[in-house]
Amino acid sequence: MRAAERMQKDAELPPEMAGRLEPLVLALISAHEELIKLLERHRAAISAADARALGEVVGTERDVLTRIESLDRDCRAALGHKPGVAALTMTTLAKALPSPEGPRLAESAAYLRALASRARTLQASVREASESMASHINGLMRQVSQRLSHAGTYGAGGRVESKASVVSGLDVSL
């Protein structure tokens, strides 16, 4: 028996679940909208090489992601998710609910899916930009090391190798 059919047999279950689920979904939507704005700021901070802004946005992102994780866990609990048991989805619940609760929950679930997809795309973009920036900085540091080396040559590992002790320094603080 499918989940929707089981729910239709138990008329009291869907409205009760929807009442617990709707505020959680709205909170998840709000948190995802905030995350998207933060990811856009994160990308801009990387592009501008603004270490201060980057530090602030990363800390705030961490808090929002923790909140999303907690809300998602609460959503799953409200849907009755348990290990090894076929899970009920918001879409299935929305189909079993009468109007206006059902269509409203279905619309909220669809919007949440779109936001989550956009956040994943932005996270991938930020990850790629971060890797690119780290690779660039690594290359710059190798060039600086080569210039500061007395030998001025690379060893077999692709790094500057000098047997002589070199007394030099470089302040890379921002």
Side-chain angles (χ1 to χ4, degrees):
M1 184 183 304
R2 291 184 8 228
E5 292 169 351
R6 282 194 311 258
M7 286 177 30
Q8 287 173 349
K9 285 185 176 183
D10 187 0
E12 295 300 308
L13 186 59
E16 176 185 307
M17 286 178 109
R20 288 191 315 245
L21 192 60
E22 191 170 20
L24 294 171
V25 172
L26 294 175
L28 271 169
I29 286 172
S30 175
H32 275 84
E33 288 172 338
E34 184 178 353
L35 178 62
I36 287 169
K37 289 176 186 170
L38 288 169
L39 289 167
E40 289 168 346
R41 283 182 40 210
H42 190 154
R43 179 98 165 112
I46 291 171
S47 295
D50 186 346
R52 181 172 291 127
L54 196 55
E56 292 171 7
V57 77
V58 166
T60 308
E61 272 179 32
R62 187 178 17 250
D63 295 342
V64 171
L65 287 168
T66 301
R67 191 167 79 234
I68 287 173
E69 181 183 23
S70 174
L71 288 166
D72 185 59
R73 202 174 22 252
D74 293 346
C75 257
R76 290 178 188 280
L79 285 167
H81 286 216
K82 294 177 184 161
V85 177
L88 179 66
T89 65
M90 282 189 269
T91 303
T92 305
L93 176 62
K95 287 179 183 175
L97 290 171
S99 208
E101 293 89 4
R104 186 174 61 228
L105 184 59
E107 187 177 313
S108 294
Y111 183 56
L112 179 57
R113 276 191 300 278
L115 288 172
S117 176
R118 174 74 177 136
R120 279 191 302 275
T121 300
L122 284 170
Q123 283 175 321
S125 173
V126 165
R127 185 179 318 111
E128 186 178 315
S130 297
E131 289 169 355
S132 178
M133 180 62 78
S135 181
H136 176 68
I137 299 280
N138 190 21
L140 289 175
M141 293 308 296
R142 283 186 184 175
Q143 286 182 359
V144 168
S145 294
Q146 181 185 16
R147 301 272 187 227
L148 293 176
S149 164
H150 290 283
T153 60
Y154 282 97
R159 301 190 187 273
V160 174
E161 293 180 8
S162 178
K163 305 269 184 207
S165 186
V166 178
V167 180
S168 58
L170 176 65
D171 182 9
V172 293
S173 63
L174 296 175

